[in-house]
Each structure stands twice: as structure tokens, then as C-alpha cells.
Amino acid sequence: MRTPLALIALLPAPALAQASEEVVVLGTPLKAPPGTPAYGAVEIDRERLLTEASGRVENALRDVAGFQQFRRSDSRSANPSAQGVTLRALGGNATSRALVLLDGVPIADPFFGYIPFNALVPDQLARARVTRGAGTGPFGAGAVAGVIELESAGRADLAGIAAEADGGGFASTRLTATAAPRLGRGQVTLGGRWERSDGFFTTPRDQRVAATARAAYEDWSVSARPVAALGPRTELQGRLTLFRDDRTLRFQGATSFAQGQDASARLLHRGRWQLDAIAYLQTRDFGNRVISATSFRLTLDQRRTPSTGYGGKLELRPPIGATHLLRVGVDARGAQGQLYEDAYAPSGAVTARRTAGGRTLSLGIYAEDDWTLGRLVLTGGARLDRWTIEDGFFRELSANPIDTRFADRAGTELTGRAGLLWRPTPPLSLRAAGYTGFRSPTLNELYRPFVVFPITTRANAELAPERLRGGELGIDVRLGAARLGVTGFYNRLEGAIGNVTLTPTLRERRNLPAITTRGIEATAEARRGAWSLIASYAYSDARVSAPGALDGRRPAQSPVHAASATLGWARRGWGLSATLRHVGAQFEDDLETDVLPPATTIDAVARLPLARGVALVLRGENLTNARVVTRNSGGSIDLGTPRVLWAGLALGG
């Protein structure tokens, strides 16, 4: 097949020459820049993703100490809108402060900013790379805490056809399947997952009432990823994902749903003039029913929150010399959506009908260069972004009607980063980096109030963007198959958006003057024969800088200590692994009145071959049945996953 004429018109003739002798696997991204390690990037490989006992991507990411969601619950028992992710204890609310990309596409919900983890299946991923600290590059406008890059698996990673069926405690069932047929000079990968469970009680036994319900869930996702070779060094990658997620939280009738349809296309050219172009479209929806903890009746029905996300990027890597890798590009990221909700009196009468919403858009240009000077790599880049917040409104039909339209706003942000990586001797690497970044408030933060009974949190249409500046120093030592890395960091997030307590039952989203966090991160990895060990630890001392009662306090949901270690053994299809995780104490609220105590859990996985292409898979979550407190509001407590045992059969692979 010949390279299309349109592409030839865009690229100069040298683009048709071979860039290097490296073997390129169809369906993979362009090669990572050589300066990436300067920012302390940590990679989780496919083997580790597949041996996470819970089968959840978000829990596998907890191998990187400092990664956290707003709640300690995973995507089976948390409210979907609380699944924002952050790094380095830069918490305080449920919106993602880390940019999460799947094959280069931002996947956060356009309205809320949370990550739809139930749409992500470990079987369909090749690896994950976590880079802490603000960054430039494509879509960097949302990466104040860091970037999490997920890469889809292709034919090189997958069996032709593979499937797994598991059953576990609380009448839980999980089915997954993948297929990777070759189509001419291209390929397509297909995947799906369906799971359901009666769920466990998140409410402690001594707080249960007749209306208390188990955290039941049912969700499914399907995806297709075709890849077509358009020429010897040019390919077109596509992706289509559909998902639906239904959960019950705490009380009978307290249900939520999230659903989406995501589509993207990516054009890659690997010649001397390399090209990476992406376009994507997302349609999402969310609903949530709030049940009173006193009357146990419906008090708020957030019926729908339809939203649309769209955007893309165009990046060029011109050939400016063998020692340089220059990336220049433009990108756009937009979101629009609105909520529809009804408030109810204890009698069941509707007391108010509300709608609210708006639009946000970020347009950016960026440039970044990696300069290799023997054992020294210098890297640096800058972004210029124009952000807009438009068409914001809030309407309420009630005894006292409200119809408010908010003024349009816009601004320009210049951010950048620079780093160096020096390898004075083969086992030793020294690195240093400094960076700035920003994040615009989400539609959720601007316009949607919410209730976690008995506390109401108000939105704030006047929120300004968050801005971060920080730096870090690190050292990595590699001796054979063993590696140790240590990083010391300082980050200051100015204008941090937090849920600020006004009264015992009322909070409001506000820009805090700053959150500063300083700490140490350590990672270790070792392999010997069939044995492997990966471990990480993070000490993060985060503090709020603000006048009054909040000054010097730790942000909500921000532990000081977090650690993880996984010991594994694998040989000839047999496999055993055990994971120990610890999260330190953290506070539920900004005033440090309610504490979530520390928690330590142990998980394990065993894979036992039964016949060719057939294996018995045994999984155990929280084997010691540790008490993991995920919410504490004045003594009203929610608990995380208790002991859950799974058994299943894996076919293929």
C-alpha cells in the first residue's frame, strides 16, 4: 500500500527515508524521548497489571507510591464522581490533578474530571507509565500533579483469542475476553469485560439500619482498536470504547450510573520527520440518587449529567540532528455539559428542579527538546495555553426561583519544565528537574453542588485555575537486574481548589492560597531467576497555606505515608505473587476533625496450569480482612473492600 498523497504533501521527501534500524511494532506509539527518566518516570509492565489481585487498573497504579484516588475505595464501591486521581498528596477534592492518557488521549470525564476506571481492563493494556510533577507536552494543561500514560496491548502482547471467567465472594462474577486477529497488513484488537456482584456492606455492623444496602455493582465495557498500515512507516490507529457502570452506595435506592462512548483516531509517521496526530470525541452521562441518612427517603435525584469532550493534537518531530529530539505541536481540549437534578421533601414532593452547566476550552502550543551529550541528557520545554470558561448558568425552579448566568472568562498561561539526566558511570544516574503547570476548574467544580449526607458542598462559578511550581532531585542505581531510585521533591500548588468548611453541614469549593508538599519517593526492583520484587514508598508532607483556621493543616484525603511491595515467582506458566500495601492516616475534612486511620492490606494471586492453554487462577483480596475506613463524617463511617476470594479459569494467553 502506498503512502496517501495527502500525507506526502504534508511531509518533505526525507520523511520517506528510514529513521533508524529499530524494530517498530505495529500499533505502538512513537518512541519516548530520551529525557523522560529525568522526571523520575515509573513504568508498570503488563505482567504486573495482570497479576493485580483485584483486577483493577487503579489498584495496580497504587504500586507507584504517591498515587491515590480521592477515596480509598476502588471503582466497585466508590461513587464514580469521586474517582479523581492525584499524586504527591496534592488532594483536597475529587477532581483529577493528574492527566491520564490512553494511547495519547485524555480519558477524564468531561464534566467531572474523574477517571472511568471500570472502562479500563488490565488484559487490554501493555504498560503504564507514571511521571510525577507538572509537565508540558500534549494536553499538559491538566497535568499539575503528573501524567499517567496507559498504552493498549497489541498482537505482540495478546494471544489470538483469550478469555477468563472468575467467581468470588459476595456472589461476584467476572468475565473478560480479548481477540487479536490480523487483517491484511493491519490488525485489530477486540476486548470486553462484564462483572457483577451483590457487594459487601460498606457500613459497619453497629451502624446498619433496615435501609442499609450492600455495595452491589454491575458494569461492562467493550472496545475495538483497529490499526492499518498506510505505508512502510505510516499507520492509522483507531479506538472505540463503550461502557456502562451501575452501583449501589450505602442505602437502598442510593444508586448511581455512569456511561460513555469514546472514539479516537491517531495517525503516526515514523520517518525522519515524525508525525503524531490525534483526534477524539467522548459522550458521557452520569446520574446519582441521594438517600437521607435520617428519613431514608430520596432527597436528591441527580437524574442526568450529559457531557461531551473533544479535542486533538498535532505533533511534529523534525530531524535537527542525531543528538536532538525536538517536539513541536498544538493541541485542543474542550468540554461541555449540564446537570439535571430534582430535590425532594421527606413527603416525596419535588421541592426544586435544577439545571446548571457551561463550556470550557483550552488551546495550547508547545515545544520540547531532548539534547543528548554523551552521558548527559538535557531536556526542556514550554507551553502557551489559552483557556476559556463560557456559557455558565444555574437555574432552579422552586418557591424562590433562581436564574443566574455567569460571565464568560478567559486567560493565558505560560508553563514549562526543564531537567537533566547524567550517567557518570553505568550503574549510576543522577537527575534534576523543575517545572510549572496549571489546571482549569472543571464544570463540576464550577456549577454542580453535591450532597454526601449530611454535608452539602456548594459549587463556585468564580473559581480560578490552579497553578503549580516545583522541583526535584533524584538518584537511580542499577546493578544487574536490581534497581533503586530515590527522589526528593518540593511542589507548591497555588489557588488549589478545595472543599472549604463553612458550617458543620455546609462546604464550598474555593481557591486556597496554596498547598505545599515536600517529601521523598523511593522505588526498588529486583529480579533473580524466577523471583521478582517491586516496591515503593512515599513520604509526602502536604500543608495548606491560608489565613485562619486552615493554615498549616494537611489537605483532606492526603496521607503522609504510603508504601507498596509485590513479591512474585513465575516459571513455565506457573505463577505466584503477594502484594503488601500500607496507607497512613489521613483526614476526611479540611479542619482535621475526622480521621481515617492507617490501613495495611495483603493480596495474593496464584496461576496453576491445568492443560495447554488452560490455567486455574486463584486471587485473594485483603487476605487479613483489615478494616479500611474510606469515609468518616462525624463518626458515620464507610469501609473499603474486605476479604474477597476468587477462583477462575483462564483460556489462551
Side-chain angles (χ1 to χ4, degrees), residues 220-286:
W220 58 265
S221 70
V222 293
S223 65
R225 185 171 181 259
V227 180
L230 304 182
R233 287 171 295 278
T234 307
E235 65 185 72
L236 179 63
Q237 304 176 3
R239 185 178 186 90
L240 176 65
T241 301
L242 292 82
F243 67 89
R244 170 84 185 197
D245 177 2
D246 292 276
R247 310 181 198 178
T248 300
L249 304 172
R250 195 174 177 85
F251 295 119
Q252 296 172 16
T255 58
S256 69
F257 78 87
Q259 64 183 22
Q261 302 85 38
D262 295 3
S264 63
R266 187 177 199 177
L267 179 66
L268 293 177
H269 182 72
R270 306 178 192 274
R272 291 186 63 242
W273 281 76
Q274 296 186 35
L275 170 73
D276 188 355
I278 289 176
Y280 71 89
L281 177 67
Q282 303 160 332
T283 61
R284 306 280 181 86
D285 201 357
F286 169 81

Side-chain angles (χ1 to χ4, degrees), residues 73 104 194 267 299 362 469 572:
S73 307
W194 171 83
L267 179 66
T299 61
S362 176
R469 54 186 175 87
R572 297 177 182 176

